[in-house]
Amino acid sequence: EVQLVESGGGLVQAGGSLRLSCEASGFTFEDYAIGWFRQAPGKEREGVSCITSSDGSTYYKDSVKDRFTISSDNAKNTVYLQMNSLKPEDTAVYYCAARLGYCGALYDVWGQGTQVTVSS
């Protein structure tokens, strides 16, 4: 079964940090790119970051550059999103998703999401 499972969300004060994990199973991890997305109440889902497992290339949304870091542990089939200097506007449900090949617009497999709440 192809599956992505997120973990690591929670409640944190502004300026704090969280690390999200996305564990993949059921597919050849090294052949895929893993993206992190988020959706806040009343807003559209947006892409936050992405990493291509085969070459380690990364992408970041402008508003999270210098605060978020994406990394991949291919041995554990897991992608991490280290989030530092969190702001209330980072509050959202965070999802990871996978697509074959490189980071791009459309993703085939989605996780169930993990809530991140940043209090002011």
Side-chain angles (χ1 to χ4, degrees), residues 18-84:
L18 285 173
R19 188 178 79 158
L20 305 183
S21 300
C22 173
E23 184 174 1
S25 60
F27 59 91
T28 304
F29 187 75
E30 292 81 359
D31 292 341
Y32 281 72
I34 305 293
W36 281 100
F37 298 79
R38 65 188 182 187
Q39 187 166 22
K43 296 187 177 181
E44 292 189 354
R45 185 174 62 201
E46 61 181 6
V48 175
S49 184
C50 182
I51 186 166
T52 295
S53 301
S54 60
D55 66 5
S57 58
T58 58
Y59 156 83
Y60 294 96
K61 177 179 174 61
D62 284 346
S63 63
V64 307
K65 285 180 180 177
D66 300 325
R67 298 190 298 123
F68 291 9
T69 303
I70 192 169
S71 61
S72 177
D73 185 337
N74 288 6
K76 295 183 177 181
N77 285 3
T78 300
V79 168
Y80 304 97
L81 185 68
Q82 178 66 45
M83 305 186 297
N84 298 328

Side-chain angles (χ1 to χ4, degrees), residues 9-18 83 86-88 91 116-120:
L11 172 64
V12 65
Q13 289 188 332
S17 298
L18 285 173
M83 305 186 297
L86 283 162
K87 304 176 180 180
T91 295
V116 172
T117 303
V118 185
S119 63
S120 57

